[in-house]
């Protein structure tokens, strides 16, 4: 049997590669690995059937593209395209790139489908609770502060306009603040896949943070394997292993990005209806979809909705969804019928 080792790829999913530390492995059997950091997280690209001589130029091309995406989408960079839009206080349509228009259009679509549970205008609340570029609060925000931040949110205040000369973003609430953190990693992952295609590469696994997309077979001629992290383990341990079959996967969880305030554990996923971090038994939602962007949008919406509504939405929209739910000291999992067809184990 071949050796197996685990490569950490993101917050809640990781990549399993057969034969990765086999000393006798031939060069043709090993993946060409590129990696680096971006957007406050890590990226990784594994390639099959690509000459090692291309490593340096591909590494540079990937980093350049991710740096460009970061300069467009970041709320952490004051000079990004998105930050400039957020600072703009008027209601005139603002010209944006097709990429930006596509991300916002997809995020608004999923936002509506989740009844506003996934809401990219939730930024003022994200920042109030200390999960954005602003500092963490030392005291629990008051209801008045929450309501003041909530008054600056709402999907209905943002729209994408497509004209013959290009795309525009428009807001009708001056203080509206768009936060694309929840879909940025998914978009960047799809963008890396397009870069690989442009480079003539057809067997790859690309990932940014917790979003992953694969195409073709790994160097051993097997499916690329992606594992969903067990929620309690500090080390990588698989709750389930999937073959993405050319799809994107993303996980949103409440157990990795959190802090404690006034004796309460606060997750970075905010319920736009209450203006506060979610408080329920659903600890992670994983989605497989045609694109990593789509998967990345749905997973946060499902997390906000909680166990029962998330299951109902997954069934209604025929989404490939895997949920992990806390039951006392235990964790139980649930998967939609669409998810089942991707599962290799258990
Ligand atoms: P997901 O579950 O996919 O998304 C949760 C995040 O979305 C929250 O952290 C919050 O920002 C937002 N959110 C919360 N509730 C909702 C909701 N109801 N609807 C919609 N969105 C919601 N982090 C840094 O520390 N430093 C950086 O410099 C930095 N730069 C970034 C640049 C870009 C372009 C992007 C996209 C992200 C950046 N981040 C940065 C954030 C970070 O890397 C992750 O994207 C973030 O922690 C969320 O990713 P996730 O997959 O863990 O969570």
């Amino acid at each position: 049997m071949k050796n197996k080792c685990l490569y950490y790829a993101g917050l809640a999913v990781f990549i399993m590669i057969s034969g990765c530390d086999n000393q006798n492995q031939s060069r043709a059997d090993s993946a060409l690995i590129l990696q680096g950091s971006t957007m406050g997280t890590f990226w990784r690209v594994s390639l099959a059937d690509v000459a090692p001589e291309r490593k340096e130029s591909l590494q540079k091309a990937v980093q350049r593209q991710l740096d460009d995406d970061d300069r467009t989408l970041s709320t952490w960079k004051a000079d990004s395209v998105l930050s400039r839009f957020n600072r703009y206080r008027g209601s005139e349509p603002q010209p944006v790139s097709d990429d930006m228009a596509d991300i916002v259009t997809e995020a608004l679509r999923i936002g509506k489908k989740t009844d506003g549970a996934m809401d990219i205008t939730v930024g003022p609340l994200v920042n109030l609770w200390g999960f954005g570029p602003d500092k963490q609060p030392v005291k629990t925000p008051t209801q008045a502060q929450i309501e003041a931040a909530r008054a600056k949110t709402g999907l209905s205040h943002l729209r994408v306009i497509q004209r013959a000369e290009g795309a525009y973003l428009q807001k009708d609430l001056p203080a509206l603040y768009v936060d694309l953190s929840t879909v940025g990693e998914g978009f960047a992952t799809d963008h890396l896949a397009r870069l690989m295609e442009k480079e003539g590469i057809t067997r790859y696994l690309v990932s940014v943070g917790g979003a992953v997309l694969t195409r073709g077979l790994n160097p051993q001629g097997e499916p690329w394997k992606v594992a969903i992290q067990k929620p309690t383990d500090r080390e990588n341990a698989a709750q389930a292993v999937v073959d993405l079959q050319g799809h994107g996967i993303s996980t949103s969880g409440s157990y990795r990005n959190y802090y404690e305030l006034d004796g309460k554990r606060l997750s970075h996923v905010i319920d736009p209806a209450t203006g506060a971090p979610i408080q329920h038994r659903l600890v992670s939602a994983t989605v497989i979809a045609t694109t990593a962007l789509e998967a990345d949008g749905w997973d946060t919406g499902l997390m906000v909705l909680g166990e029962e509504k998330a299951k109902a939405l997954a069934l209604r929209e025929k989404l490939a969804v895997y949920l992990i739910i806390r039951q006392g000291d235990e964790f139980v999992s649930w998967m939609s019928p669409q998810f089942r067809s991707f599962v290799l184990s258990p």
Side-chain angles (χ1 to χ4, degrees):
M1 201 172 116
K2 284 181 179 150
N3 290 339
K4 277 193 177 161
C5 63
L6 310 178
Y7 284 120
Y8 186 61
L11 299 173
V13 288
F14 57 92
I15 300 158
M16 306 176 76
I17 300 175
S18 303
C20 54
D21 58 358
N22 188 340
Q23 297 297 313
N24 301 320
Q25 198 181 334
S26 74
R27 210 174 77 167
D29 261 7
S30 15
L32 187 69
I33 308 283
L34 316 172
Q35 52 197 333
S37 56
T38 189
M39 302 178 185
T41 185
F42 300 98
W43 63 266
R44 185 181 182 97
V45 170
S46 306
L47 305 171
D49 209 14
V50 171
E53 295 72 31
R54 297 183 66 189
K55 183 169 181 173
E56 203 181 321
S57 72
L58 285 169
Q59 172 87 24
K60 281 187 184 150
V62 168
Q63 192 65 58
R64 199 180 311 121
Q65 179 169 295
L66 289 170
D67 289 346
D68 276 354
D69 289 344
D70 194 19
R71 276 191 294 272
T72 304
L73 305 174
S74 183
T75 44
W76 302 74
K77 286 192 162 51
D79 58 347
S80 75
V81 175
L82 187 62
S83 290
R84 289 203 296 273
F85 176 76
N86 285 339
R87 273 198 304 277
Y88 172 64
R89 286 290 178 264
S91 59
E92 287 300 309
Q94 299 296 299
V96 289
S97 64
D98 289 342
D99 280 346
M100 175 71 97
D102 288 349
I103 302 169
V104 174
T105 301
E106 182 67 344
L108 291 177
R109 181 183 77 85
I110 295 172
K112 278 195 193 116
K113 293 258 183 193
T114 60
D115 280 335
M118 198 287 267
D119 181 346
I120 53 167
T121 72
V122 81
L125 289 161
V126 171
N127 294 344
L128 178 68
W129 286 96
F131 291 106
D134 298 350
K135 281 201 184 121
Q136 282 175 7
V138 286
K139 279 169 72 180
T140 303
T142 63
Q143 199 54 36
Q145 287 174 310
I146 293 171
E147 288 312 322
R150 267 191 79 209
K152 297 177 192 163
T153 68
L155 288 175
S156 62
H157 298 297
L158 179 66
R159 66 185 187 121
V160 179
I161 302 170
Q162 294 286 356
R163 292 182 183 155
E165 72 274 14
Y168 296 79
L169 277 193
Q170 186 180 35
K171 52 180 165 182
D172 65 13
L173 197 62
L176 199 77
Y177 176 104
V178 179
D179 177 357
L180 294 174
S181 290
T182 193
V183 282
E185 293 172 357
F187 168 80
T189 300
D190 292 337
H191 204 185
L192 284 188
R194 293 200 292 278
L195 177 63
M196 294 306 123
E197 301 287 334
K198 220 166 71 192
E199 293 286 343
I201 297 166
T202 54
R203 294 168 63 190
Y204 55 79
L205 182 154
V206 289
S207 71
V208 180
V212 182
L213 189 142
T214 64
R215 185 178 165 205
L217 299 174
N218 73 10
Q220 292 79 44
E222 297 167 359
W224 300 98
K225 295 185 182 92
V226 176
I228 297 161
Q229 170 93 45
K230 277 193 176 171
T232 45
D233 291 305
R234 286 184 180 275
E235 287 162 27
N236 285 335
Q239 176 93 18
V241 180
V242 294
D243 165 12
L244 294 179
Q245 303 164 30
H247 291 68
I249 188 170
S250 177
T251 297
S252 180
S254 60
Y255 57 96
R256 282 292 178 96
N257 192 348
Y258 68 89
Y259 67 95
E260 296 204 359
L261 185 64
D262 294 338
K264 261 194 175 171
R265 190 173 151 142
L266 302 178
S267 151
H268 67 138
V269 178
I270 308 289
D271 184 347
T274 62
I278 53 168
Q279 299 276 346
H280 51 57
R281 303 189 317 158
L282 181 57
V283 290
S284 85
T286 298
V287 180
I288 298 177
T290 312
T291 63
L293 170 63
E294 190 182 346
D296 209 5
W298 282 115
D299 65 4
T300 308
L302 296 170
M303 269 311 287
V304 172
L305 290 172
E307 180 188 346
E308 294 310 325
K309 286 184 182 169
K311 285 180 186 173
L313 183 64
L315 295 174
R316 192 166 69 240
E317 293 291 329
K318 299 189 169 37
L319 302 173
V321 171
Y322 186 89
L323 306 177
I324 302 178
I325 300 137
R326 186 188 302 275
Q327 256 182 24
D329 292 337
E330 311 264 293
F331 292 95
V332 293
S333 63
W334 175 89
M335 68 177 97
S336 67
Q338 287 73 19
F339 196 91
R340 207 169 291 279
S341 60
F342 295 98
V343 175
L344 295 171
S345 69

